[in-house]
Amino acid sequence: MSSDNALTYLQNYAPMLPQTGNDAHKYFESNTKLIVVFKQHRFYKQLCVELYKAGSTKSNKIKNPLTLINPLDLVWQTNEPNELKFFSGIARFQNNATLQRSPADIDALKAILHNPLKLDFYIHDAEISTAVVTASLSHVSAGSEVNEGTIYVNKKDGAYTVDFQLNIAGKYQSLSVLQVKYDYLVAVESTLHLLANYPLVNAVQSLKAFVQSPGMNEAALQDFKTQVLSNLQDKIAVVYTFINQATNDQMEAGDLQKPPQKLIYLSDLDNYILIDPVMQYGNIEIPIRTKRQIYCKDKKGELFMVARNGPAEDAFTAMLLQQHPHFAEQLEYELPYFYLHRHRFLDDEWFLQAFDQWQQQGITILGFNKLKGNKLNANKANINIRVTSGTNWFNTDISVRFAKKRVRLKQLQQAVRNKSKFIQLDDGTMGILPAEWLEKFSTYFNAGEIIHELVVIPKVNYNAVSKLFDQEFLDQEVLHELELYRNAIDTANPIAEVKVPAALKGKLRSYQKQGLNWLNFLDDLNFGGCLADDMGLGKSIQIIAFILLQRQKRKDNTNLLVVPTSLLFNWKAEVEKFASSIKIFTVNGAVRPIDLDGLKAYEIVLVSYGTLLSLVNELKAFCFNYIFLDESQNIKNIDSQRYQSVCLLQSRNKVAITGTPIENNVFDLYAQLSFACPGLLGSRQHFRDIYSIPIDRFKNSKRAKELQHKIAPFILRRTKSEVAKELPGKTEMVLYCEMEPAQRKLYDAYEKEFREYISSNTDEDITKNSMHVLKGITRLRQICNSPLLLEDEKEYDETSTKIEVLMEQIENKSAHHKILIFSQFVTMLDLIRKALLAHNIEHEYLTGRTKDREKVVNNFQENRDTRVFLISLKAGGTGLNLTEADYVYLVDPWWNPAVENQAIDRSHRIGQQKNVVAIRLICPNTIEEKIIKLQEQKRELSKDLVKTGDALHPLFTKAELLSLVT
């Protein structure tokens, strides 16, 4: 705006701009004022509302000339919302040439008549002057809004007349005596009243000619009904004064005495859902958001009127208004229905609650299943749970119903697994599960398994039942059993002692008696367990004593003992030594078929894991008293045939036996305890998500303690340091073997290659290519032993620093000591054996290919000339009693120190009289040295799980792998 224009603007309008307050005299100079003029368009006859500036006399009357003001110029001079609406409303009607009326016109007129500036209103009379001058203006005031009217159809002397009564300021006045101004206004003397809703405006326009009519005959009345009243009766009440209220007989004949029925019709409109509330009186349906009256004919053809139930309809409307805030806003619109956007309507958080309330109030819902793209079930889920007691399990009946449709548990489980609140029902609809129940259902399914529409939870998992279910879900027998288990297991009460069977040859140490008591305690509760004593503490004699004890408790005492092949002769010898009265049958895979009835004559059926795989389909038909798994870490891989085979076998109870319940990671526990104590740790995925990943990958000590507390009653773990203090001492040390320059050069080259590979890959890539990573690590470890272990390095000199150091040790010690030498690599044992032969040192040699293990073990134990025993770590780490040796050499460190400890325990066990020295051969500044450090970092967390059990995660992260080679 230029400076000249700005000056002109200020001269013309500045006096009109508000300074303070809302009163007109505060806004303008005392002799100047703004006025509002209502007039009719000169050509189009539409309402125009204009804003003028006028001078005023001393008596405050306006005087010519009047200057037309553009209200939009004033919009920018105020921040008051009502004033903005006021100026905008005038702008809508100023010089209005619109032929079509709109409901928005009424909102604009409401803003004008609200008159926030308290301006004077005038009506223009074009017959006096087409121009707006003071002589053509009449002062008027704004009155109340008109929101209600009633149409009366009267009958007198066979003629029908129409009257339209408007409620003006609480008083009904006939349209026939009112002056209609500009379609939207009616004048009562000098006051203008706004017809405040569009149906009233239409009704006035439609009826103003009829209210002056002297009368209509029957035919004219029917035309009037069809052409006029049919379009008005939904919004304006129509009363036929000549039709009487229904009599009791008419009400009864028309089935109208019953309380009206509430209906809700649902339908589509583009992206919206229409909600049409209807009240049904007899056979007549009345949308409650209409003014329609109820007229019926009796059997004689006489018309009668039925009064609508106002309180019931108002309560119906009030209930709907409480269900969504948008509904209250929609009362302003003259629509017969409420509406919601499709997304808001189908939001289960809303419509399930709404439908539930509708159904509780007996409202019939129609049209829901016909909504476009809708497959949702309108019924809220009805959930009932009942937990009862079975033989060895708790039966959980979970009933989820949508109206009469019950959900099958497999369907429910699938929805829970997919974390979906929508569940496919048999009728094709989708039921909606309450969000708060999804997590509950997940915990139920994790705690048990589905069998015949029941979630069966083993009683060993009694603690989960206590935590998962409210007491109201549990029957009295379940409550009693839970109390019994809590008193027996969760209290500090000592386990009852049992008498050692007289048939046992040999004396049980005090801790072995405690082990027998513990096994018997679990047996009384019908629970399985895991005997996880340290290597060399006599787990076998505890099991033998327990089998003898079963003679006193069970008539059928046939027990299956599954062991590694290498331990078959050990178990035969142990049974013969401690309980020769036990009849033992060794299953031979070559003898087919097995005489299952004949097995009842034996107390121990002995079978190797390997033989079991081929005979499981026969043995699974026999129900044993107990199944004992020795070295149960053999089933740690839950996907292995061994695990799946032992799970097919039947028995009254089960016990896992192992000195290392955790070898590689926490998941080893799941496999063994899911066999011995089915259901204790829940589903596989649940255990992986809740325990295995948090503990193994993220070192979550809280989860570790939680898991330890859960499994503690079912695992018995004692260490040598705790219970076998009479054992001679054990010394562990590291012997460093510095590489020769050529060996170091080769190692550095392979290490560089491996480091570059790890650096260039992500954690995800490393996991996918774990075999390639393992191969790279293995090569580095093999070079530390001897480059000859690499297939592509056969040209390398046969010398090896470790072999040289080892031979020096053997030559110095073999005269007075017997020595065990363990290596993971058979090829390394072969190189050591070659060196022993060259030095004429007598030795024994045991690997996975050794057929007669008993012979080589006895030769080492009994032959004074056999000073050295070369043993493959995998083949000889368990099941051997080699107490003649007091020196143990571990040629190459293994990831899990528990495996190394097993090897050391071949010598350091009950029966050993000498101090045992365990020596690890380590090449400094190599992966071996860093493996030892990494072991220490990982050791502490897993110790908390099974008391003294050690666990390591064999799959390292990228950062950990890089730490091995940098």
Side-chain angles (χ1 to χ4, degrees), residues 783-926:
I783 295 172
C784 290
N785 282 348
S786 171
L788 290 177
L789 271 61
L790 300 179
E791 294 180 359
D792 51 356
E793 296 294 340
K794 294 302 182 185
E795 298 178 0
Y796 186 79
D797 188 350
E798 291 190 13
T799 59
S800 163
T801 301
K802 281 192 178 181
I803 293 177
E804 290 177 359
V805 170
L806 187 59
M807 290 308 301
E808 182 180 345
Q809 291 281 316
I810 292 171
E811 288 181 331
N812 289 336
K813 295 181 172 63
S814 59
H816 304 287
H817 304 277
K818 283 201 172 192
I819 299 169
L820 305 181
I821 299 174
F822 286 94
S823 175
Q824 184 200 355
F825 303 105
V826 174
T827 48
M828 185 59 177
L829 294 178
D830 291 338
L831 292 178
I832 299 170
R833 188 180 195 186
K834 187 176 180 180
L836 290 173
L837 290 171
H839 288 78
N840 295 317
I841 298 175
E842 290 194 31
H843 61 276
E844 275 296 351
Y845 177 85
L846 187 149
T847 68
R849 296 191 298 268
T850 303
K851 293 183 179 180
D852 194 345
R853 294 165 59 96
E854 184 175 6
K855 180 180 178 182
V856 297
V857 169
N858 288 340
N859 184 50
F860 177 76
Q861 286 283 90
E862 299 168 6
N863 189 342
R864 292 180 57 84
D865 295 331
T866 304
R867 310 305 296 171
V868 178
F869 200 164
L870 303 177
I871 307 173
S872 164
L873 189 65
K874 185 175 182 180
T878 60
L880 299 179
N881 190 334
L882 302 171
T883 52
E884 284 298 309
D886 55 345
Y887 270 82
V888 181
Y889 287 89
L890 301 165
V891 177
D892 31 69
W894 182 232
W895 309 110
N896 188 356
V899 175
E900 295 180 349
N901 290 336
Q902 287 185 57
I904 297 169
D905 287 343
R906 299 309 94 222
S907 172
H908 191 249
R909 59 195 298 116
I910 300 299
Q912 179 61 266
Q913 302 297 321
K914 296 165 285 191
N915 289 333
V916 173
V917 180
I919 302 170
R920 291 174 172 85
L921 302 184
I922 300 296
C923 289
N925 300 317
T926 67

Side-chain angles (χ1 to χ4, degrees), residues 84 90 126 225 240 515 524 579 616 710 868 901:
L84 290 171
I90 293 176
K225 282 180 170 183
Y240 294 89
D524 286 342
V616 66
K710 190 178 188 73
V868 178
N901 290 336

Side-chain angles (χ1 to χ4, degrees), residues 82-114:
N82 288 336
E83 293 177 11
L84 290 171
K85 289 181 180 180
F86 174 78
F87 289 132
S88 299
I90 293 176
R92 181 180 179 86
F93 284 99
Q94 188 151 307
N95 198 29
N96 178 27
T98 304
L99 297 177
Q100 296 295 326
R101 293 190 299 268
S102 166
D105 295 342
I106 294 177
D107 291 331
L109 287 169
K110 286 180 180 179
I112 295 170
L113 293 172
H114 182 62

